[in-house]
Amino acid sequence: SHFVEIIIQTQNKLPQTATMAMLRGYAVATAVLAFAVATASAFTVNAPAAFVANPTKFNQIEQCKSTSCLSMSTIEETATSSATKKLEEYVNSREGNRIIRKVLIANNGMAATKSILSMRQWAYMEFGDERVIQFVAMATAEDLKANAEFIRLADSFVEVPAGKNSNNYANVEVICKIAQEQGVDAVWPGWGHASEKPELPETLAALGIKFIGPTAPVMSVLGDKIAANILAQTAEVPSIPWSGSFGGVDDGPLVAELTDEGTIPIDTFEKATCRNVEEAIIAAKKIGYENGLMIKASEGGGGKGIRFVDNEDDLKNAYIQVQNEVIGSPIFIMQLCKNARHLEVQIVGDQHGNAVALSGRDCSTQRRFQKIFEEGPPSIAKPETFKKMEKAAQRLTQSIGYQGAGTVEYLYNADTDNFFFLELNPRLQVEHPVTEGITGVNLPATQLQVAMGIPLFNIPEVRRLYGKNMYEFEGDPIDFFEESYKEIDSHVIAARITAENPDEGFKPTSGSIERIKFQSTSNVWGYFSVGANGGIHEFADSQFGHLFAKGATREQARKGLILALKEIEVRGEIRTTVEYLVQLLETDAFIDNTIDTSWLDGLIREKSVQIEKPPHLVVTAAAVFRAFQHVKSETEAVMESFRKGQVSTSDIPGINSFDLEISYQDTKYSFHVDRSAADVYRMTINDDVVDIRVTQTAEGALLATFGGETHRIFGMDEPLGLRLVLDGVTVLMPTIFDPSELRTDVTGKVVRYLQDNGADVESGEPYVEVEAMKMIMPIK
């Protein structure tokens, strides 16, 4: 018989898990092993190593009389060694040239969350061990406080300086220092932050660390929107009029041969750039204001660094806004393509000169050039036309040796069937799961395999898409220019879940999140960058969730997404666009697929899509919430006085009979409330009486029954008033303030005053600009 004592200790005083088991006889050896593996998994596999200050010690096995004592570390090392061997065999057999075991995630939020989820899924499905690849995360104090999901998912994390992203996720020096200190094999950049900074792959290459993406020269020429447009013109890809349409031979479109370093010559680049307001005005006059103009930061993206203008006065102001939003970026001007759809081609290039187009996406539903819905495949384009767009994207990327995932974006006119090059993003995009849903190709895992040097035609999921055997690949490569992938037989529509207020022009909001309720189904799934008791801080991106609905047809996907959005519940200090998204999906224009890139901004401007509840129902619900809060607070006050030994009962009558006022839509409503039972409130207004039965759920919502109906009510006091959620619809009931005071609920930093002291300000006129959640926005 053997007495086995397993002691688990950690420096950070985790809840005690030390267990002692006395097992007699060799017949129970299997039980010991099972227990040991389960215990090891709980502390060394599932829990992030960074939270275990002192790695769990399993070598403390006392009173072991056998010469072959059980060692938990040996068991784990054996499993890890086996998975590593499988990974090495996988890479070598598929003609790869590098083993990547440890990856630094140089990002946060949605990007970091999705990358770890996807690569872990691939690792488990391929090797039976989701931990064969280790992930190191970077985390600011704000992300730690916000209970960011990616920190929980990572195997370890390194805390980085707080504040704006130039201190952390966009700081090349910080990223490279951490990568070197942590001994990682590769860095995954995601999107935004430093993902398009050529200095990052250049510095990492010097350190011998693989950048999961294109090389520095290629990123420089493609990641810069000005250079990419010049390159597209050189490759004779159709372009719309822009500031680079002039300056070539006979003042024609600029073209360029790449330098030895793989970049656009400086003098050619400068001809397309508007270096100041004066040069912008000159370029605008050449292009013309008739169709409208876009002022764009060459290094912008994700809706940042872009403004629409149609006159010179607006151009002067918008130029400064773009300058402030993407500091240091070159700026150019492009004509607005009216009645255009925003179509994308998902491309991936490898180290062997191959480039594949993995179908594409339609991202035409945009607000202020920020995508709201994404869907694929792009059914609006004729199949033969979209095939031309795919081939053009492949030629453009293959000609310069592009490596990794990227997106070639086009403007497409459905009436004329013409398409124009917009830009190429040398990175993965947030909407990439749409492509995953219709092609079955795990894109972050594909990025990882390309970084390991595996040719695209040897990656199993790519082979499956092309109708090839996934695992019998020797002597059977794929010619991606001549062969076509299998016909897409499904449709996916995605919706971004953002912390924005649709009632205030979609201004970003920040604050805590108490709860996120979402239930995946067989055809709808989603992921979120924060969890319960988390939050969105002022330096974070406003997007914190993404939902995807799949169907055999576009209509099936649309209905599935609507049902999912109707069921989702986000509770906390932030506002979300969920209710508004449902209304958009139910409009005739979206159903008929007749939208364009200006459609949503037009709806917002005209306020033609609004979510409203009858005023009398809103006022009654607000009165119920205020009455319930009054009873709760007054009861607690009386109980507290009793606990202090104060026996006065003078305040008790005020618990059961009181007056309250509700203001809504410029009208004040005066109620008298009497409690006839613990859960029954009799409300009187203008001699009208209604009895309301109120029950509080465990999650804090109120169920109020009156008028033969039961309504679900949740309220929260905010700086500007009461935010009421009535049957899933959010209503803001402003507090009455001094009209001479201008207030906003936007949390951010003032970057520019637009009015002089003592000046008159008209209603609806901007008076200050604020930087919030990486965006510059006017406060009106």
Side-chain angles (χ1 to χ4, degrees):
S1 64
H2 303 275
F3 176 74
V4 184
E5 180 178 358
I6 301 173
I7 302 175
I8 304 168
Q9 296 176 332
T10 57
Q11 290 179 345
N12 56 352
K13 298 182 180 179
L14 291 170
Q16 184 172 350
T17 55
T19 305
M20 180 181 293
M22 182 176 290
L23 303 174
R24 300 182 181 279
Y26 291 101
V28 293
T30 302
V32 174
L33 282 170
F35 167 80
V37 172
T39 309
S41 175
F43 281 84
T44 63
V45 177
N46 294 327
F51 289 103
V52 185
N54 182 24
T56 307
K57 298 178 181 179
F58 289 98
N59 55 350
Q60 300 182 33
I61 302 179
E62 301 177 353
Q63 300 183 23
C64 182
K65 300 178 182 178
S66 169
T67 57
S68 58
C69 297
L70 290 172
S71 170
M72 301 305 110
S73 59
T74 301
I75 294 172
E76 187 183 346
E77 287 169 5
T78 300
T80 302
S81 176
S82 175
T84 301
K85 186 176 180 180
K86 289 181 181 179
L87 175 63
E88 293 174 353
E89 291 174 350
Y90 179 92
V91 174
N92 293 331
S93 67
R94 283 161 179 74
E95 303 177 33
N97 54 25
R98 177 191 293 262
I99 308 298
I100 295 177
R101 279 289 325 275
K102 193 173 185 180
V103 178
L104 172 65
I105 305 299
N107 214 301
N108 65 339
M110 299 292 291
T113 302
K114 176 59 168 61
S115 66
I116 298 174
L117 288 172
S118 291
M119 287 188 268
R120 282 251 172 88
Q121 180 189 43
W122 169 75
Y124 186 81
M125 298 303 292
E126 199 64 54
F127 311 112
D129 183 356
E130 73 276 19
R131 304 280 167 164
V132 69
I133 310 291
Q134 297 289 298
F135 296 101
V136 180
M138 299 165 58
T140 63
E142 292 91 354
D143 279 327
L144 288 166
K145 183 178 179 181
N147 193 27
E149 186 73 1
F150 75 93
I151 300 174
R152 182 188 68 82
L153 290 172
D155 295 282
S156 62
F157 73 84
V158 177
E159 188 167 352
V160 293
K164 56 187 180 180
N165 70 349
S166 59
N167 298 338
N168 38 73
Y169 306 110
N171 190 307
V172 172
E173 183 180 352
V174 169
I175 294 170
C176 293
K177 183 175 184 291
I178 293 172
Q180 191 172 26
E181 290 177 349
Q182 294 296 311
V184 302
D185 303 309
V187 171
W188 188 86
W191 49 83
H193 298 313
S195 64
E196 296 184 50
K197 290 188 174 184
E199 309 89 70
L200 182 56
E202 184 177 32
T203 307
L204 289 173
L207 296 173
I209 299 171
K210 183 66 178 176
F211 176 78
I212 302 180
T215 59
V218 171
M219 178 184 287
S220 177
V221 72
L222 290 181
D224 185 282
K225 294 175 174 58
I226 292 175
N229 273 279
I230 295 174
L231 186 65
Q233 289 180 163
T234 305
E236 299 183 352
V237 177
S239 298
I240 59 178
W242 68 296
S243 52
S245 296
F246 316 98
V249 178
D250 297 327
D251 205 30
L254 294 169
V255 296
E257 294 296 328
L258 297 182
T259 65
D260 293 338
E261 292 76 27
T263 60
I264 298 290
I266 294 296
D267 59 336
T268 305
F269 184 92
E270 289 293 323
K271 289 180 181 179
T273 303
C274 299
R275 290 166 290 190
N276 49 54
V277 173
E278 290 72 26
E279 290 187 0
I281 292 173
I282 293 172
K285 288 179 179 178
K286 285 185 177 182
I287 300 169
Y289 289 99
E290 293 78 14
N291 292 325
L293 298 173
M294 310 300 303
I295 304 175
K296 303 180 74 172
S298 188
E299 298 171 4
K304 292 178 280 296
I306 182 170
R307 292 293 187 276
F308 167 79
V309 298
D310 57 10
N311 61 76
E312 188 173 309
D313 289 338
D314 287 349
L315 183 148
K316 294 175 182 177
N317 190 52
Y319 186 95
I320 296 173
Q321 291 180 347
V322 171
Q323 268 189 328
N324 290 336
E325 207 159 88
V326 188
I327 297 172
S329 170
I331 294 173
F332 67 104
I333 294 181
M334 179 175 286
Q335 184 185 83
L336 176 69
C337 184
K338 288 191 173 181
N339 304 317
R341 301 290 287 254
H342 180 121
L343 305 188
E344 302 178 344
V345 174
Q346 177 67 62
I347 56 99
V348 183
D350 65 19
Q351 299 175 19
H352 308 277
N354 302 299
V356 63
L358 300 174
S359 188
R361 302 177 289 263
D362 185 340
C363 305
S364 300
T365 307
Q366 301 180 6
R367 174 200 46 79
R368 292 204 305 261
F369 315 106
Q370 177 70 47
K371 299 163 188 173
I372 302 297
F373 297 129
E374 306 100 355
E375 55 181 298
S379 56
I380 190 65
K382 295 178 181 178
E384 59 272 21
T385 302
F386 191 72
K387 186 60 66 177
K388 292 178 183 178
M389 298 166 75
E390 289 182 312
K391 296 304 180 187
Q394 287 176 268
R395 287 195 305 271
L396 182 61
T397 53
Q398 189 179 47
S399 65
I400 56 172
Y402 187 88
Q403 299 176 24
T407 305
V408 178
E409 300 184 352
Y410 296 99
L411 294 175
Y412 173 75
N413 190 305
D415 295 332
T416 63
D417 197 36
N418 292 327
F419 64 90
F420 304 95
F421 176 81
L422 181 61
E423 62 186 34
L424 191 154
N425 288 305
R427 53 175 171 79
L428 202 60
Q429 299 208 146
V430 65
E431 62 268 24
H432 74 269
V434 171
T435 297
E436 293 179 324
I438 60 177
T439 65
V441 177
N442 181 330
L443 285 171
T446 299
Q447 286 182 292
L448 182 64
Q449 293 173 79
V450 166
M452 292 183 187
I454 299 175
L456 283 165
F457 50 71
N458 285 346
I459 294 177
E461 290 178 344
V462 174
R463 295 186 61 80
R464 180 179 60 196
L465 179 64
Y466 275 78
K468 304 284 187 177
N469 188 297
M470 293 176 65
Y471 296 102
E472 294 180 7
F473 49 86
E474 292 186 9
D476 188 21
I478 303 171
D479 186 334
F480 295 112
F481 275 97
E482 297 299 327
E483 300 182 53
S484 298
Y485 53 75
K486 295 188 297 184
E487 184 178 350
I488 304 296
D489 60 0
S490 60
H491 198 93
V492 172
I493 304 179
R496 300 189 183 197
I497 309 301
T498 58
E500 296 174 328
N501 185 353
D503 297 331
E504 293 291 333
F506 290 85
K507 288 188 176 72
T509 63
S510 59
S512 64
I513 295 177
E514 297 175 10
R515 182 187 185 208
I516 297 177
K517 186 190 79 173
F518 169 71
Q519 184 65 49
S520 295
T521 65
S522 59
N523 64 333
V524 180
W525 76 280
Y527 71 103
F528 298 85
S529 62
V530 295
N533 300 317
I536 306 294
H537 56 80
E538 63 180 295
F539 299 106
D541 189 87
S542 64
Q543 184 183 359
F544 66 95
H546 218 166
L547 301 191
F548 306 87
K550 185 174 183 177
T553 65
R554 182 177 186 269
E555 180 63 6
Q556 287 184 10
R558 184 188 71 87
K559 289 180 177 178
L561 185 57
I562 288 173
L563 288 175
L565 288 168
K566 285 184 175 181
E567 290 299 318
I568 192 173
E569 181 180 352
V570 180
R571 181 174 300 171
E573 296 175 344
I574 64 168
R575 288 290 305 274
T576 75
T577 56
V578 171
E579 303 145 22
Y580 195 84
L581 298 183
V582 172
Q583 299 297 315
L584 293 178
L585 288 167
E586 292 181 332
T587 59
D588 291 338
F590 192 91
I591 294 172
D592 297 336
N593 202 15
T594 58
I595 63 175
D596 59 30
T597 54
S598 63
W599 170 68
L600 180 52
D601 283 328
L603 294 182
I604 295 172
R605 187 167 52 251
E606 298 168 3
K607 297 184 177 180
S608 56
V609 175
Q610 293 186 344
I611 307 131
E612 294 183 347
K613 285 285 187 181
H616 70 275
L617 181 59
V618 173
V619 170
T620 304
V624 169
F625 175 77
R626 289 298 191 202
F628 187 87
Q629 292 296 104
H630 171 87
V631 171
K632 183 178 179 180
S633 62
E634 292 299 310
T635 300
E636 175 58 29
V638 171
M639 296 299 294
E640 180 63 21
S641 68
F642 286 169
R643 285 191 286 269
K644 293 178 178 178
Q646 301 168 358
V647 294
S648 172
T649 59
S650 59
D651 293 332
I652 293 179
I655 297 175
N656 297 318
S657 181
F658 51 90
D659 296 320
L660 59 83
E661 291 183 343
I662 301 295
S663 297
Y664 185 58
Q665 296 181 345
D666 299 325
T667 303
K668 183 182 291 185
Y669 301 84
S670 299
F671 288 87
H672 179 75
V673 182
D674 291 301
R675 292 175 74 206
S676 56
D679 60 346
V680 177
Y681 294 72
R682 171 164 290 183
M683 295 193 173
T684 304
I685 182 171
N686 297 335
D687 298 327
D688 290 325
V689 180
V690 59
D691 286 332
I692 303 174
R693 186 174 297 276
V694 181
T695 303
Q696 186 176 34
T697 66
E699 60 188 4
L702 301 181
L703 300 180
T705 303
F706 56 93
E709 297 178 341
T710 298
H711 300 276
R712 184 182 178 86
I713 303 168
F714 179 80
M716 176 175 289
D717 285 305
E718 296 184 340
L720 296 184
L722 170 65
R723 173 156 48 107
L724 194 71
V725 181
L726 173 59
D727 298 330
V729 174
T730 302
V731 181
L732 180 63
M733 309 189 71
T735 301
I736 298 177
F737 291 115
D738 181 343
S740 65
E741 295 180 356
L742 298 177
R743 298 180 178 233
T744 179
D745 57 351
V746 174
T747 302
K749 179 179 69 175
V750 172
V751 294
R752 189 160 67 114
Y753 291 100
L754 304 178
Q755 305 291 341
D756 295 328
N757 284 336
D760 293 329
V761 182
E762 299 294 331
S763 177
E765 186 178 1
Y767 61 91
V768 68
E769 286 180 351
V770 175
E771 180 183 6
M773 305 181 84
K774 301 189 282 186
M775 298 285 286
I776 302 293
M777 63 185 67
I779 304 299
K780 301 179 180 180

